[in-house]
Amino acid sequence: KAIQVVVPGCGYNFCNINGEGTPISFYLNQKGMTSVAVMYRCPRPEGRPKHLSAWQDAQRAIRKVRAEAPTRGLDPDRIGIMGFSAGGHLTLMTATNTKTPAYEPVDEIDRQPCTLQWACPIYPAYVLSDGPERGSNAHGGNLDEDVIVPELSFDADTPPMCFMHGDADTWAAMNSVKCWERLRGMNIHADLHTLAKRGHCFQMSASPGTGSYTWMDRIWEFLSREGLNK
């Protein structure tokens, strides 16, 4: 009865739903789990934060899913979000700002909370002050002054998370590491998986049997351990 909301990536310029939405839904459907892939608005809005319209759409999607869950025999209190690259940043935006509305309410659906029970940021981009806009992190996110960007607030309702990142990713793996450290300091459960010598979108060219190919099994283990997919 759990529901996985998926937000694909592609720099907030394009929503790669075929590459990073449909395969996840197929995997989860085979496991008997409901998946909702979100086609959020692109490209980036001019003169406003790059993530704003996508964040609005993600919050709306969660509220809509929660509102409709009971009529579909699903649990409105078991909803998670997963996203890739820019979608990984969007995943963090949505999971760490659950008390902050991204838009003004428009109907009864917007009375629903957009809290989440878990989040899975997959090679999230734009996370650190070292590389919030450009394609690669100048320091790899390794310096003490490379800190989490302020729009990720990690509020009191931030849920458990499972991170996946290649350590050769130009959107540095330290994006995930420093978020994991933040959660650890808040006593929030979190898994962190880094894949050696793997770059961005590692799953797109993975060989069968490798960690880059079977990474979704780590997500399923996380959901099973936390009791979220029962």
Side-chain angles (χ1 to χ4, degrees):
K1 293 187 176 183
I3 308 161
Q4 180 68 71
V5 175
V6 183
V7 286
C10 219
Y12 290 121
N13 295 309
F14 172 73
C15 190
N16 186 18
I17 201 161
N18 290 329
E20 296 173 330
T22 303
I24 307 309
S25 294
F26 183 77
Y27 175 98
L28 294 173
N29 289 170
Q30 286 186 309
K31 296 283 192 181
M33 188 174 182
T34 296
S35 176
V36 177
V38 180
M39 179 72 84
Y40 54 83
R41 283 170 290 169
C42 291
R44 304 175 178 204
E46 292 186 12
R48 309 190 77 180
K50 60 183 177 294
H51 56 266
L52 181 59
S53 54
W55 182 32
Q56 292 171 341
D57 292 348
Q59 284 197 349
R60 174 69 178 185
I62 291 161
R63 291 183 173 117
K64 186 173 177 62
V65 165
R66 177 162 280 121
E68 294 187 9
T71 63
R72 297 174 182 268
L74 301 171
D75 189 345
D77 295 318
R78 271 195 288 172
I79 301 173
I81 189 168
M82 178 192 300
F84 302 76
S85 190
H89 174 264
L90 181 57
T91 292
L92 288 166
M93 278 295 305
T94 309
T96 65
N97 292 282
T98 55
K99 297 181 182 296
T100 305
Y103 61 94
E104 294 295 326
V106 296
D107 56 22
E108 286 298 311
I109 288 175
D110 287 330
R111 294 182 180 272
Q112 296 284 343
C114 58
T115 52
L116 294 155
Q117 283 65 60
W118 73 90
C120 300
I122 313 300
Y123 44 84
Y126 313 130
V127 170
L128 300 179
S129 56
D130 176 31
E133 292 289 348
R134 57 189 182 275
S136 61
N137 303 74
H139 315 131
N142 291 309
L143 305 183
D144 289 342
E145 59 263 34
D146 299 335
V147 297
I148 296 171
V149 291
E151 65 258 28
L152 305 180
S153 69
F154 289 87
D155 67 23
D157 286 335
T158 298
M161 296 194 191
C162 183
F163 294 88
M164 299 288 303
H165 220 123
D167 76 348
D169 195 337
T170 53
W171 281 271
M174 292 304 291
N175 290 358
S176 291
V177 172
K178 292 193 174 183
C179 287
W180 177 84
E181 288 179 338
R182 175 73 62 85
L183 292 168
R184 182 176 173 84
M186 297 170 68
N187 293 316
I188 295 173
H189 296 170
D191 280 13
L192 172 64
H193 300 275
T194 56
L195 302 172
K197 300 182 181 180
R198 301 301 181 186
H200 208 57
C201 303
F202 54 77
Q203 80 279 18
M204 300 293 189
S205 57
S207 299
T210 65
S212 303
Y213 192 88
T214 62
W215 67 274
M216 269 299 297
D217 294 342
R218 308 291 82 73
I219 301 294
W220 192 254
E221 289 168 5
F222 164 77
L223 295 174
S224 299
R225 189 193 66 238
E226 297 291 325
L228 297 164
N229 57 359
K230 292 183 179 178

